[in-house]
Amino acid sequence: MVFKAIISLCALTIALPLQARSLLDYVGQCVPFARQASGIPIYGDAWTWWGQAEGKYPRGHSPRVGAVVVFERTSRLPLGHVAVVSRVVEDRVLMLTHANWSLQNGERGHAEQDVTLFDVSPANDWSMVKVWFRDSDGLGSSTYPIYGFIYGKGRTAPELTGDKPDYVGALIDAYVAR
């Protein structure tokens, strides 16, 4: 029994830095954050998650709460990016929770909860998106190609979404601020 408790404590210590009391206190890379938030145990650079999930986890192009969205590798994102869907607002707008995107307190790596993600693909198929960017306090001007969504089999972190997400703000971010 004591051995199991020690193993559990070690696993938690590896998953989150010592200073992190909750998932939202996390500071670091997007991959360990997404792994912890989604319960999907994939390792390696973010862009490799799509291929690694093949045959192990269902994948698709429709957002679902708890799914990991996998950004392709680009010149702006040389390692790709992964984030976890926290809310589906409507067909082309969702909220995600992720780490290492916007600057906070002058540094990258911080977790952000319920951030707007907007599907800007011509076919409305979630192949190209814009992401809310704290640095500019709105949707960034860049568009990013994504592979799609990986659907987990386990439980997601309880901090994945807030108690009062700003659905109206997400819609304004997406449709008015274009």
Side-chain angles (χ1 to χ4, degrees):
M1 192 68 160
V2 172
F3 183 71
K4 283 185 180 179
I6 291 171
I7 295 296
S8 296
L9 182 59
C10 288
L12 184 59
T13 302
I14 291 168
L16 294 175
L18 290 177
Q19 73 271 17
R21 289 186 176 81
S22 87
L23 189 63
L24 299 178
D25 292 331
Y26 177 83
V27 178
Q29 298 298 316
C30 64
V31 167
F33 181 87
R35 188 171 39 247
Q36 184 69 22
S38 69
I40 297 175
I42 295 178
Y43 294 79
D45 292 340
W47 71 272
T48 69
W49 278 45
W50 187 252
Q52 288 188 62
E54 187 174 12
K56 296 177 186 168
Y57 294 93
R59 302 179 310 170
H61 300 283
S62 298
R64 295 182 199 160
V65 172
V68 173
V69 58
V70 183
F71 289 67
E72 293 183 24
R73 179 168 58 170
T74 66
S75 60
R76 290 191 59 133
L77 296 174
L79 300 177
H81 184 69
V82 285
V84 183
V85 176
S86 56
R87 299 273 179 164
V88 176
V89 178
E90 58 102 47
D91 287 348
R92 297 192 84 165
V93 180
L94 60 83
M95 292 178 177
L96 53 82
T97 297
H98 62 167
N100 199 27
W101 190 263
S102 299
L103 284 173
Q104 293 183 43
N105 303 320
E107 64 182 9
R108 295 218 183 278
H110 293 273
E112 294 178 271
Q113 184 184 56
D114 292 328
V115 172
T116 302
L117 185 71
F118 181 37
D119 172 22
V120 294
S121 61
N124 190 22
D125 63 1
W126 287 97
S127 60
M128 189 68 69
V129 298
K130 284 191 172 191
V131 184
W132 192 86
F133 198 53
R134 182 183 292 250
D135 303 22
S136 62
D137 208 20
L139 282 176
S141 59
S142 298
T143 57
Y144 299 94
I146 66 169
Y147 288 111
F149 301 90
I150 300 171
Y151 310 113
K153 300 174 185 174
R155 291 188 325 163
T156 59
E159 302 99 330
L160 191 58
T161 188
D163 292 337
K164 297 176 184 168
D166 187 359
Y167 292 110
V168 173
L171 291 168
I172 290 170
D173 284 345
Y175 291 112
V176 176
R178 289 175 28 163

